[in-house]
Amino acid sequence: SQQGEEDPQALSIQEGENATMNCSYKTSINNLQWYRQNSGRGLVHLILIRSNEREKHSGRLRVTLDTSKKSSSLLITASRAADTASYFCATGGGYQKVTFGIGTKLQVIP
Amino acid sequence: GAGVSQSPSNKVTEKGKDVELRCDPISGHTALYWYRQSLGQGLEFLIYFQGNSAPDKSGLPSDRFSAERTGGSVSTLTIQRTQQEDSAVYLCASRASGQGAFWELFFGEGSRLTVL
């Protein structure tokens, strides 16, 4: 079963705009990760946020985590056409299985 | 190699045949995962190997699916008597152990299976 659910499932924006994707999960977590998948490729790890963190930045990425609402958001600022991909949140890891959400398909229009 | 390697990259088979998909994880990675991704969908967890522990097989959809990991390295996912609904991309990922490397999964490019 899928632990996380991303929304929106699809998002289309113009280059230069910001893209925000949300993830909700069901059980308690130690951390939450975001991954990116280019069409027809494997997933690539973007960023991890621990359960005791509320916000984390990496380059143009900003991730927030609200454990009381069991939700996380991924913000990509100043989007580029190359950011076009699917984005997944994932929970678990360590000695537990890692489960992924259904993903948000982002299209950035040049 | 430097990354996770999966083979074959593409496999077309007839309904009822058995298939084997192979995953070579990054050298030294103790954890290995298999996922299934149907067209345009999310990742469905199948099975998880961690070191010498018993694997977590809770995601295997039926007894036609099995996986093994030999010598703590290479893994093979076997699907017996394939059905058309088995058509999907099968993704393998591995993970290191130890502080600072305990969480991130490294994925292969996947094996695309088409059952006719």
Side-chain angles (χ1 to χ4, degrees), chain B residues 6-56:
Chain B
Q6 291 188 246
S7 61
S9 55
N10 278 287
K11 175 73 175 178
V12 180
T13 191
E14 293 180 350
K15 178 181 171 181
K17 301 278 190 185
D18 297 352
V19 296
E20 286 189 350
L21 307 176
R22 176 187 168 106
C23 174
D24 273 283
I26 293 172
S27 178
H29 279 194
T30 58
L32 187 148
Y33 302 76
W34 283 98
Y35 295 89
R36 178 168 72 175
Q37 186 175 32
S38 300
L39 186 63
Q41 301 299 309
L43 274 71
E44 176 188 6
F45 168 79
L46 296 177
I47 188 168
Y48 161 45
F49 296 89
Q50 171 61 55
N52 296 321
S53 302
D56 180 344

mmCIF file of all heavy atoms in Angstrom, chain B residues 6-56:
data_model
loop_
_atom_site.group_PDB
_atom_site.id
_atom_site.type_symbol
_atom_site.label_atom_id
_atom_site.label_comp_id
_atom_site.label_asym_id
_atom_site.label_seq_id
_atom_site.Cartn_x
_atom_site.Cartn_y
_atom_site.Cartn_z
ATOM 1 N N GLN B 6 20.507 -2.910 -13.585
ATOM 2 C CA GLN B 6 19.398 -3.846 -13.751
ATOM 3 C C GLN B 6 19.415 -4.432 -15.163
ATOM 4 O O GLN B 6 19.745 -3.739 -16.121
ATOM 5 C CB GLN B 6 18.046 -3.165 -13.516
ATOM 6 C CG GLN B 6 17.813 -2.763 -12.082
ATOM 7 C CD GLN B 6 16.400 -2.274 -11.848
ATOM 8 O OE1 GLN B 6 16.168 -1.110 -11.538
ATOM 9 N NE2 GLN B 6 15.429 -3.181 -11.981
ATOM 10 N N SER B 7 19.059 -5.710 -15.240
ATOM 11 C CA SER B 7 18.968 -6.341 -16.556
ATOM 12 C C SER B 7 17.857 -7.386 -16.555
ATOM 13 O O SER B 7 17.549 -7.970 -15.501
ATOM 14 C CB SER B 7 20.307 -6.996 -16.918
ATOM 15 O OG SER B 7 20.640 -8.006 -15.987
ATOM 16 N N PRO B 8 17.202 -7.608 -17.698
ATOM 17 C CA PRO B 8 17.359 -6.811 -18.909
ATOM 18 C C PRO B 8 16.677 -5.457 -18.757
ATOM 19 O O PRO B 8 15.847 -5.282 -17.880
ATOM 20 C CB PRO B 8 16.635 -7.665 -19.957
ATOM 21 C CG PRO B 8 15.563 -8.359 -19.175
ATOM 22 C CD PRO B 8 16.151 -8.646 -17.826
ATOM 23 N N SER B 9 16.982 -4.527 -19.627
ATOM 24 C CA SER B 9 16.310 -3.236 -19.571
ATOM 25 C C SER B 9 14.900 -3.344 -20.134
ATOM 26 O O SER B 9 13.996 -2.621 -19.704
ATOM 27 C CB SER B 9 17.113 -2.173 -20.308
ATOM 28 O OG SER B 9 17.365 -2.578 -21.634
ATOM 29 N N ASN B 10 14.743 -4.246 -21.095
ATOM 30 C CA ASN B 10 13.427 -4.500 -21.674
ATOM 31 C C ASN B 10 13.238 -5.987 -21.845
ATOM 32 O O ASN B 10 14.162 -6.684 -22.269
ATOM 33 C CB ASN B 10 13.289 -3.829 -23.047
ATOM 34 C CG ASN B 10 12.921 -2.372 -22.925
ATOM 35 O OD1 ASN B 10 11.793 -2.047 -22.583
ATOM 36 N ND2 ASN B 10 13.869 -1.505 -23.192
ATOM 37 N N LYS B 11 12.036 -6.455 -21.514
ATOM 38 C CA LYS B 11 11.731 -7.873 -21.693
ATOM 39 C C LYS B 11 10.294 -7.997 -22.186
ATOM 40 O O LYS B 11 9.369 -7.472 -21.567
ATOM 41 C CB LYS B 11 11.894 -8.611 -20.367
ATOM 42 C CG LYS B 11 11.491 -10.066 -20.399
ATOM 43 C CD LYS B 11 12.478 -10.914 -21.148
ATOM 44 C CE LYS B 11 12.119 -12.383 -21.069
ATOM 45 N NZ LYS B 11 13.083 -13.215 -21.850
ATOM 46 N N VAL B 12 10.142 -8.663 -23.331
ATOM 47 C CA VAL B 12 8.811 -8.967 -23.847
ATOM 48 C C VAL B 12 8.629 -10.474 -23.758
ATOM 49 O O VAL B 12 9.480 -11.234 -24.212
ATOM 50 C CB VAL B 12 8.646 -8.491 -25.305
ATOM 51 C CG1 VAL B 12 7.239 -8.826 -25.813
ATOM 52 C CG2 VAL B 12 8.903 -6.998 -25.413
ATOM 53 N N THR B 13 7.554 -10.903 -23.167
ATOM 54 C CA THR B 13 7.322 -12.323 -22.983
ATOM 55 C C THR B 13 5.863 -12.656 -23.263
ATOM 56 O O THR B 13 4.999 -11.768 -23.324
ATOM 57 C CB THR B 13 7.711 -12.763 -21.557
ATOM 58 O OG1 THR B 13 7.711 -14.190 -21.483
ATOM 59 C CG2 THR B 13 6.716 -12.228 -20.529
ATOM 60 N N GLU B 14 5.608 -13.928 -23.424
ATOM 61 C CA GLU B 14 4.237 -14.375 -23.659
ATOM 62 C C GLU B 14 3.595 -14.763 -22.332
ATOM 63 O O GLU B 14 4.262 -15.284 -21.427
ATOM 64 C CB GLU B 14 4.233 -15.557 -24.614
ATOM 65 C CG GLU B 14 4.674 -15.208 -26.023
ATOM 66 C CD GLU B 14 4.667 -16.415 -26.950
ATOM 67 O OE1 GLU B 14 4.497 -17.547 -26.433
ATOM 68 O OE2 GLU B 14 4.831 -16.230 -28.158
ATOM 69 N N LYS B 15 2.319 -14.536 -22.268
ATOM 70 C CA LYS B 15 1.547 -14.924 -21.087
ATOM 71 C C LYS B 15 1.820 -16.384 -20.748
ATOM 72 O O LYS B 15 1.838 -17.245 -21.629
ATOM 73 C CB LYS B 15 0.064 -14.695 -21.373
ATOM 74 C CG LYS B 15 -0.871 -15.090 -20.252
ATOM 75 C CD LYS B 15 -2.321 -14.840 -20.666
ATOM 76 C CE LYS B 15 -3.268 -15.428 -19.648
ATOM 77 N NZ LYS B 15 -4.688 -15.225 -20.040
ATOM 78 N N GLY B 16 2.070 -16.628 -19.457
ATOM 79 C CA GLY B 16 2.298 -17.995 -19.002
ATOM 80 C C GLY B 16 3.765 -18.369 -18.863
ATOM 81 O O GLY B 16 4.108 -19.364 -18.210
ATOM 82 N N LYS B 17 4.652 -17.569 -19.462
ATOM 83 C CA LYS B 17 6.092 -17.851 -19.356
ATOM 84 C C LYS B 17 6.630 -17.309 -18.031
ATOM 85 O O LYS B 17 6.054 -16.408 -17.426
ATOM 86 C CB LYS B 17 6.848 -17.189 -20.501
ATOM 87 C CG LYS B 17 6.410 -17.624 -21.871
ATOM 88 C CD LYS B 17 7.048 -18.924 -22.261
ATOM 89 C CE LYS B 17 6.790 -19.214 -23.744
ATOM 90 N NZ LYS B 17 7.298 -20.529 -24.143
ATOM 91 N N ASP B 18 7.760 -17.847 -17.605
ATOM 92 C CA ASP B 18 8.457 -17.333 -16.422
ATOM 93 C C ASP B 18 9.506 -16.312 -16.864
ATOM 94 O O ASP B 18 10.092 -16.439 -17.942
ATOM 95 C CB ASP B 18 9.169 -18.468 -15.686
ATOM 96 C CG ASP B 18 8.216 -19.520 -15.143
ATOM 97 O OD1 ASP B 18 6.982 -19.308 -15.191
ATOM 98 O OD2 ASP B 18 8.709 -20.564 -14.674
ATOM 99 N N VAL B 19 9.732 -15.300 -16.017
ATOM 100 C CA VAL B 19 10.784 -14.320 -16.301
ATOM 101 C C VAL B 19 11.643 -14.106 -15.058
ATOM 102 O O VAL B 19 11.171 -14.250 -13.924
ATOM 103 C CB VAL B 19 10.219 -12.954 -16.772
ATOM 104 C CG1 VAL B 19 9.498 -13.096 -18.081
ATOM 105 C CG2 VAL B 19 9.351 -12.336 -15.720
ATOM 106 N N GLU B 20 12.896 -13.769 -15.292
ATOM 107 C CA GLU B 20 13.819 -13.413 -14.217
ATOM 108 C C GLU B 20 14.392 -12.036 -14.491
ATOM 109 O O GLU B 20 14.857 -11.755 -15.601
ATOM 110 C CB GLU B 20 14.972 -14.429 -14.134
ATOM 111 C CG GLU B 20 14.570 -15.758 -13.533
ATOM 112 C CD GLU B 20 15.777 -16.644 -13.257
ATOM 113 O OE1 GLU B 20 16.890 -16.300 -13.710
ATOM 114 O OE2 GLU B 20 15.598 -17.685 -12.606
ATOM 115 N N LEU B 21 14.349 -11.206 -13.489
ATOM 116 C CA LEU B 21 14.903 -9.860 -13.574
ATOM 117 C C LEU B 21 16.040 -9.766 -12.562
ATOM 118 O O LEU B 21 15.907 -10.217 -11.420
ATOM 119 C CB LEU B 21 13.819 -8.814 -13.273
ATOM 120 C CG LEU B 21 12.540 -8.933 -14.093
ATOM 121 C CD1 LEU B 21 11.506 -7.899 -13.629
ATOM 122 C CD2 LEU B 21 12.819 -8.768 -15.579
ATOM 123 N N ARG B 22 17.119 -9.135 -12.990
ATOM 124 C CA ARG B 22 18.312 -9.132 -12.156
ATOM 125 C C ARG B 22 18.653 -7.727 -11.692
ATOM 126 O O ARG B 22 18.464 -6.759 -12.436
ATOM 127 C CB ARG B 22 19.483 -9.701 -12.958
ATOM 128 C CG ARG B 22 20.835 -9.681 -12.258
ATOM 129 C CD ARG B 22 21.946 -10.115 -13.197
ATOM 130 N NE ARG B 22 23.262 -9.833 -12.650
ATOM 131 C CZ ARG B 22 24.072 -10.760 -12.165
ATOM 132 N NH1 ARG B 22 23.714 -12.041 -12.142
ATOM 133 N NH2 ARG B 22 25.268 -10.416 -11.690
ATOM 134 N N CYS B 23 19.190 -7.641 -10.484
ATOM 135 C CA CYS B 23 19.632 -6.362 -9.930
ATOM 136 C C CYS B 23 21.013 -6.527 -9.308
ATOM 137 O O CYS B 23 21.220 -7.390 -8.436
ATOM 138 C CB CYS B 23 18.644 -5.864 -8.874
ATOM 139 S SG CYS B 23 19.190 -4.369 -8.009
ATOM 140 N N ASP B 24 21.950 -5.685 -9.763
ATOM 141 C CA ASP B 24 23.277 -5.605 -9.162
ATOM 142 C C ASP B 24 23.347 -4.318 -8.358
ATOM 143 O O ASP B 24 23.424 -3.232 -8.949
ATOM 144 C CB ASP B 24 24.366 -5.565 -10.244
ATOM 145 C CG ASP B 24 24.791 -6.927 -10.687
ATOM 146 O OD1 ASP B 24 25.540 -7.561 -9.940
ATOM 147 O OD2 ASP B 24 24.359 -7.337 -11.765
ATOM 148 N N PRO B 25 23.332 -4.397 -7.037
ATOM 149 C CA PRO B 25 23.336 -3.167 -6.238
ATOM 150 C C PRO B 25 24.720 -2.536 -6.211
ATOM 151 O O PRO B 25 25.690 -3.125 -6.700
ATOM 152 C CB PRO B 25 22.953 -3.668 -4.847
ATOM 153 C CG PRO B 25 23.507 -5.061 -4.805
ATOM 154 C CD PRO B 25 23.352 -5.596 -6.195
ATOM 155 N N ILE B 26 24.801 -1.362 -5.651
ATOM 156 C CA ILE B 26 26.084 -0.710 -5.454
ATOM 157 C C ILE B 26 26.892 -1.557 -4.462
ATOM 158 O O ILE B 26 26.350 -2.012 -3.438
ATOM 159 C CB ILE B 26 25.893 0.722 -4.935
ATOM 160 C CG1 ILE B 26 25.236 1.574 -6.028
ATOM 161 C CG2 ILE B 26 27.215 1.336 -4.498
ATOM 162 C CD1 ILE B 26 24.824 2.963 -5.592
ATOM 163 N N SER B 27 28.159 -1.755 -4.782
ATOM 164 C CA SER B 27 29.005 -2.604 -3.953
ATOM 165 C C SER B 27 29.022 -2.126 -2.506
ATOM 166 O O SER B 27 29.221 -0.933 -2.231
ATOM 167 C CB SER B 27 30.434 -2.594 -4.512
ATOM 168 O OG SER B 27 31.283 -3.376 -3.705
ATOM 169 N N GLY B 28 28.772 -3.056 -1.588
ATOM 170 C CA GLY B 28 28.802 -2.724 -0.174
ATOM 171 C C GLY B 28 27.467 -2.305 0.408
ATOM 172 O O GLY B 28 27.316 -2.199 1.629
ATOM 173 N N HIS B 29 26.491 -2.045 -0.438
ATOM 174 C CA HIS B 29 25.169 -1.673 0.071
ATOM 175 C C HIS B 29 24.491 -2.904 0.678
ATOM 176 O O HIS B 29 24.391 -3.947 0.055
ATOM 177 C CB HIS B 29 24.305 -1.099 -1.039
ATOM 178 C CG HIS B 29 24.589 0.339 -1.316
ATOM 179 N ND1 HIS B 29 23.752 1.136 -2.080
ATOM 180 C CD2 HIS B 29 25.609 1.138 -0.922
ATOM 181 C CE1 HIS B 29 24.242 2.349 -2.127
ATOM 182 N NE2 HIS B 29 25.368 2.384 -1.444
ATOM 183 N N THR B 30 24.003 -2.728 1.903
ATOM 184 C CA THR B 30 23.446 -3.875 2.622
ATOM 185 C C THR B 30 21.959 -4.056 2.387
ATOM 186 O O THR B 30 21.423 -5.134 2.604
ATOM 187 C CB THR B 30 23.676 -3.720 4.135
ATOM 188 O OG1 THR B 30 23.073 -2.487 4.573
ATOM 189 C CG2 THR B 30 25.166 -3.684 4.469
ATOM 190 N N ALA B 31 21.277 -3.013 1.978
ATOM 191 C CA ALA B 31 19.829 -3.094 1.794
ATOM 192 C C ALA B 31 19.496 -3.051 0.309
ATOM 193 O O ALA B 31 20.124 -2.322 -0.469
ATOM 194 C CB ALA B 31 19.136 -1.949 2.518
ATOM 195 N N LEU B 32 18.476 -3.825 -0.070
ATOM 196 C CA LEU B 32 18.060 -3.880 -1.471
ATOM 197 C C LEU B 32 16.548 -3.962 -1.517
ATOM 198 O O LEU B 32 15.929 -4.727 -0.770
ATOM 199 C CB LEU B 32 18.693 -5.091 -2.173
ATOM 200 C CG LEU B 32 18.489 -5.214 -3.685
ATOM 201 C CD1 LEU B 32 19.710 -5.885 -4.326
ATOM 202 C CD2 LEU B 32 17.232 -5.958 -4.037
ATOM 203 N N TYR B 33 15.959 -3.165 -2.413
ATOM 204 C CA TYR B 33 14.505 -3.076 -2.532
ATOM 205 C C TYR B 33 14.089 -3.366 -3.975
ATOM 206 O O TYR B 33 14.776 -2.978 -4.919
ATOM 207 C CB TYR B 33 14.012 -1.664 -2.206
ATOM 208 C CG TYR B 33 14.345 -1.124 -0.847
ATOM 209 C CD1 TYR B 33 15.627 -0.675 -0.543
ATOM 210 C CD2 TYR B 33 13.366 -1.024 0.139
ATOM 211 C CE1 TYR B 33 15.930 -0.158 0.703
ATOM 212 C CE2 TYR B 33 13.658 -0.495 1.389
ATOM 213 C CZ TYR B 33 14.941 -0.065 1.665
ATOM 214 O OH TYR B 33 15.230 0.460 2.905
ATOM 215 N N TRP B 34 12.926 -3.981 -4.119
ATOM 216 C CA TRP B 34 12.265 -4.102 -5.418
ATOM 217 C C TRP B 34 10.921 -3.387 -5.363
ATOM 218 O O TRP B 34 10.166 -3.520 -4.383
ATOM 219 C CB TRP B 34 12.013 -5.565 -5.781
ATOM 220 C CG TRP B 34 13.196 -6.335 -6.264
ATOM 221 C CD1 TRP B 34 13.994 -7.175 -5.554
ATOM 222 C CD2 TRP B 34 13.707 -6.348 -7.604
ATOM 223 N NE1 TRP B 34 14.967 -7.710 -6.352
ATOM 224 C CE2 TRP B 34 14.813 -7.231 -7.623
ATOM 225 C CE3 TRP B 34 13.338 -5.727 -8.799
ATOM 226 C CZ2 TRP B 34 15.557 -7.490 -8.771
ATOM 227 C CZ3 TRP B 34 14.073 -5.982 -9.940
ATOM 228 C CH2 TRP B 34 15.170 -6.858 -9.923
ATOM 229 N N TYR B 35 10.643 -2.626 -6.439
ATOM 230 C CA TYR B 35 9.373 -1.935 -6.588
ATOM 231 C C TYR B 35 8.824 -2.228 -7.976
ATOM 232 O O TYR B 35 9.562 -2.543 -8.903
ATOM 233 C CB TYR B 35 9.542 -0.420 -6.447
ATOM 234 C CG TYR B 35 9.977 0.043 -5.079
ATOM 235 C CD1 TYR B 35 11.327 0.151 -4.769
ATOM 236 C CD2 TYR B 35 9.048 0.365 -4.097
ATOM 237 C CE1 TYR B 35 11.740 0.560 -3.515
ATOM 238 C CE2 TYR B 35 9.450 0.784 -2.837
ATOM 239 C CZ TYR B 35 10.791 0.876 -2.563
ATOM 240 O OH TYR B 35 11.200 1.287 -1.309
ATOM 241 N N ARG B 36 7.511 -2.067 -8.104
ATOM 242 C CA ARG B 36 6.853 -2.180 -9.406
ATOM 243 C C ARG B 36 6.159 -0.850 -9.694
ATOM 244 O O ARG B 36 5.506 -0.276 -8.804
ATOM 245 C CB ARG B 36 5.834 -3.325 -9.382
ATOM 246 C CG ARG B 36 5.063 -3.500 -10.666
ATOM 247 C CD ARG B 36 4.296 -4.792 -10.682
ATOM 248 N NE ARG B 36 3.145 -4.814 -9.792
ATOM 249 C CZ ARG B 36 2.276 -5.828 -9.738
ATOM 250 N NH1 ARG B 36 2.453 -6.882 -10.509
ATOM 251 N NH2 ARG B 36 1.256 -5.791 -8.896
ATOM 252 N N GLN B 37 6.288 -0.395 -10.929
ATOM 253 C CA GLN B 37 5.666 0.867 -11.327
ATOM 254 C C GLN B 37 4.895 0.636 -12.620
ATOM 255 O O GLN B 37 5.492 0.410 -13.674
ATOM 256 C CB GLN B 37 6.713 1.962 -11.512
ATOM 257 C CG GLN B 37 6.102 3.326 -11.773
ATOM 258 C CD GLN B 37 7.145 4.428 -11.831
ATOM 259 O OE1 GLN B 37 8.278 4.222 -12.250
ATOM 260 N NE2 GLN B 37 6.774 5.635 -11.385
ATOM 261 N N SER B 38 3.592 0.667 -12.506
ATOM 262 C CA SER B 38 2.760 0.570 -13.703
ATOM 263 C C SER B 38 2.747 1.916 -14.398
ATOM 264 O O SER B 38 3.053 2.947 -13.786
ATOM 265 C CB SER B 38 1.347 0.121 -13.337
ATOM 266 O OG SER B 38 1.385 -1.149 -12.712
ATOM 267 N N LEU B 39 2.345 1.920 -15.663
ATOM 268 C CA LEU B 39 2.438 3.123 -16.501
ATOM 269 C C LEU B 39 1.771 4.322 -15.832
ATOM 270 O O LEU B 39 0.583 4.282 -15.499
ATOM 271 C CB LEU B 39 1.794 2.839 -17.863
ATOM 272 C CG LEU B 39 1.942 3.947 -18.902
ATOM 273 C CD1 LEU B 39 3.423 4.148 -19.240
ATOM 274 C CD2 LEU B 39 1.149 3.626 -20.158
ATOM 275 N N GLY B 40 2.561 5.375 -15.622
ATOM 276 C CA GLY B 40 2.019 6.613 -15.075
ATOM 277 C C GLY B 40 1.618 6.538 -13.620
ATOM 278 O O GLY B 40 0.965 7.457 -13.119
ATOM 279 N N GLN B 41 2.004 5.478 -12.931
ATOM 280 C CA GLN B 41 1.590 5.299 -11.536
ATOM 281 C C GLN B 41 2.759 5.470 -10.571
ATOM 282 O O GLN B 41 3.899 5.708 -10.976
ATOM 283 C CB GLN B 41 0.980 3.902 -11.359
ATOM 284 C CG GLN B 41 -0.216 3.633 -12.240
ATOM 285 C CD GLN B 41 -1.349 4.594 -11.963
ATOM 286 O OE1 GLN B 41 -1.759 4.791 -10.813
ATOM 287 N NE2 GLN B 41 -1.854 5.228 -13.005
ATOM 288 N N GLY B 42 2.450 5.358 -9.286
ATOM 289 C CA GLY B 42 3.481 5.430 -8.268
ATOM 290 C C GLY B 42 4.224 4.125 -8.135
ATOM 291 O O GLY B 42 4.048 3.199 -8.932
ATOM 292 N N LEU B 43 5.076 4.051 -7.114
ATOM 293 C CA LEU B 43 5.877 2.856 -6.888
ATOM 294 C C LEU B 43 5.177 1.938 -5.887
ATOM 295 O O LEU B 43 4.828 2.369 -4.787
ATOM 296 C CB LEU B 43 7.254 3.237 -6.332
ATOM 297 C CG LEU B 43 8.317 3.582 -7.355
ATOM 298 C CD1 LEU B 43 8.010 4.909 -8.013
ATOM 299 C CD2 LEU B 43 9.683 3.595 -6.713
ATOM 300 N N GLU B 44 5.030 0.697 -6.291
ATOM 301 C CA GLU B 44 4.426 -0.305 -5.423
ATOM 302 C C GLU B 44 5.542 -1.142 -4.815
ATOM 303 O O GLU B 44 6.305 -1.798 -5.531
ATOM 304 C CB GLU B 44 3.475 -1.191 -6.238
ATOM 305 C CG GLU B 44 2.847 -2.339 -5.467
ATOM 306 C CD GLU B 44 2.066 -3.276 -6.382
ATOM 307 O OE1 GLU B 44 2.106 -3.093 -7.615
ATOM 308 O OE2 GLU B 44 1.426 -4.204 -5.856
ATOM 309 N N PHE B 45 5.652 -1.131 -3.491
ATOM 310 C CA PHE B 45 6.678 -1.906 -2.804
ATOM 311 C C PHE B 45 6.434 -3.396 -3.018
ATOM 312 O O PHE B 45 5.308 -3.874 -2.880
ATOM 313 C CB PHE B 45 6.655 -1.578 -1.312
ATOM 314 C CG PHE B 45 7.463 -2.516 -0.467
ATOM 315 C CD1 PHE B 45 8.840 -2.388 -0.397
ATOM 316 C CD2 PHE B 45 6.847 -3.534 0.240
ATOM 317 C CE1 PHE B 45 9.581 -3.263 0.378
ATOM 318 C CE2 PHE B 45 7.581 -4.414 1.023
ATOM 319 C CZ PHE B 45 8.955 -4.280 1.089
ATOM 320 N N LEU B 46 7.502 -4.130 -3.318
ATOM 321 C CA LEU B 46 7.401 -5.573 -3.479
ATOM 322 C C LEU B 46 8.112 -6.322 -2.358
ATOM 323 O O LEU B 46 7.509 -7.115 -1.640
ATOM 324 C CB LEU B 46 7.980 -6.001 -4.828
ATOM 325 C CG LEU B 46 7.265 -5.477 -6.075
ATOM 326 C CD1 LEU B 46 7.986 -5.932 -7.328
ATOM 327 C CD2 LEU B 46 5.807 -5.932 -6.105
ATOM 328 N N ILE B 47 9.432 -6.088 -2.212
ATOM 329 C CA ILE B 47 10.213 -6.863 -1.255
ATOM 330 C C ILE B 47 11.446 -6.071 -0.846
ATOM 331 O O ILE B 47 11.935 -5.235 -1.610
ATOM 332 C CB ILE B 47 10.608 -8.235 -1.844
ATOM 333 C CG1 ILE B 47 11.270 -9.149 -0.801
ATOM 334 C CG2 ILE B 47 11.507 -8.067 -3.060
ATOM 335 C CD1 ILE B 47 11.409 -10.601 -1.263
ATOM 336 N N TYR B 48 11.954 -6.342 0.359
ATOM 337 C CA TYR B 48 13.081 -5.606 0.926
ATOM 338 C C TYR B 48 14.025 -6.585 1.609
ATOM 339 O O TYR B 48 13.594 -7.379 2.446
ATOM 340 C CB TYR B 48 12.516 -4.579 1.915
ATOM 341 C CG TYR B 48 13.464 -3.997 2.934
ATOM 342 C CD1 TYR B 48 14.741 -3.562 2.582
ATOM 343 C CD2 TYR B 48 13.063 -3.851 4.257
ATOM 344 C CE1 TYR B 48 15.591 -3.012 3.529
ATOM 345 C CE2 TYR B 48 13.908 -3.298 5.212
ATOM 346 C CZ TYR B 48 15.169 -2.873 4.841
ATOM 347 O OH TYR B 48 15.999 -2.315 5.778
ATOM 348 N N PHE B 49 15.300 -6.542 1.221
ATOM 349 C CA PHE B 49 16.342 -7.334 1.852
ATOM 350 C C PHE B 49 17.222 -6.404 2.690
ATOM 351 O O PHE B 49 17.635 -5.353 2.222
ATOM 352 C CB PHE B 49 17.231 -8.002 0.792
ATOM 353 C CG PHE B 49 16.530 -8.994 -0.076
ATOM 354 C CD1 PHE B 49 15.919 -8.591 -1.256
ATOM 355 C CD2 PHE B 49 16.483 -10.336 0.267
ATOM 356 C CE1 PHE B 49 15.278 -9.504 -2.079
ATOM 357 C CE2 PHE B 49 15.846 -11.261 -0.552
ATOM 358 C CZ PHE B 49 15.242 -10.839 -1.727
ATOM 359 N N GLN B 50 17.533 -6.806 3.913
ATOM 360 C CA GLN B 50 18.435 -6.044 4.767
ATOM 361 C C GLN B 50 19.455 -6.995 5.365
ATOM 362 O O GLN B 50 19.140 -7.778 6.265
ATOM 363 C CB GLN B 50 17.663 -5.319 5.866
ATOM 364 C CG GLN B 50 18.540 -4.667 6.928
ATOM 365 C CD GLN B 50 19.473 -3.608 6.392
ATOM 366 O OE1 GLN B 50 19.026 -2.657 5.749
ATOM 367 N NE2 GLN B 50 20.768 -3.769 6.612
ATOM 368 N N GLY B 51 20.684 -6.923 4.866
ATOM 369 C CA GLY B 51 21.754 -7.749 5.381
ATOM 370 C C GLY B 51 21.375 -9.217 5.394
ATOM 371 O O GLY B 51 20.872 -9.756 4.410
ATOM 372 N N ASN B 52 21.606 -9.865 6.521
ATOM 373 C CA ASN B 52 21.302 -11.293 6.664
ATOM 374 C C ASN B 52 19.924 -11.558 7.270
ATOM 375 O O ASN B 52 19.579 -12.719 7.529
ATOM 376 C CB ASN B 52 22.364 -11.965 7.537
ATOM 377 C CG ASN B 52 23.730 -11.932 6.886
ATOM 378 O OD1 ASN B 52 23.841 -12.109 5.674
ATOM 379 N ND2 ASN B 52 24.766 -11.686 7.677
ATOM 380 N N SER B 53 19.162 -10.490 7.500
ATOM 381 C CA SER B 53 17.826 -10.659 8.091
ATOM 382 C C SER B 53 16.869 -11.277 7.093
ATOM 383 O O SER B 53 17.088 -11.214 5.874
ATOM 384 C CB SER B 53 17.280 -9.301 8.545
ATOM 385 O OG SER B 53 18.144 -8.686 9.470
ATOM 386 N N ALA B 54 15.795 -11.863 7.621
ATOM 387 C CA ALA B 54 14.761 -12.393 6.734
ATOM 388 C C ALA B 54 14.154 -11.243 5.931
ATOM 389 O O ALA B 54 13.881 -10.173 6.485
ATOM 390 C CB ALA B 54 13.686 -13.087 7.550
ATOM 391 N N PRO B 55 13.946 -11.422 4.626
ATOM 392 C CA PRO B 55 13.408 -10.337 3.811
ATOM 393 C C PRO B 55 11.965 -10.002 4.178
ATOM 394 O O PRO B 55 11.226 -10.855 4.650
ATOM 395 C CB PRO B 55 13.498 -10.875 2.381
ATOM 396 C CG PRO B 55 13.550 -12.361 2.522
ATOM 397 C CD PRO B 55 14.235 -12.635 3.829
ATOM 398 N N ASP B 56 11.604 -8.749 3.957
ATOM 399 C CA ASP B 56 10.215 -8.297 4.110
ATOM 400 C C ASP B 56 9.525 -8.520 2.773
ATOM 401 O O ASP B 56 9.739 -7.771 1.834
ATOM 402 C CB ASP B 56 10.203 -6.818 4.497
ATOM 403 C CG ASP B 56 8.798 -6.256 4.672
ATOM 404 O OD1 ASP B 56 7.820 -6.891 4.205
ATOM 405 O OD2 ASP B 56 8.662 -5.173 5.266
#
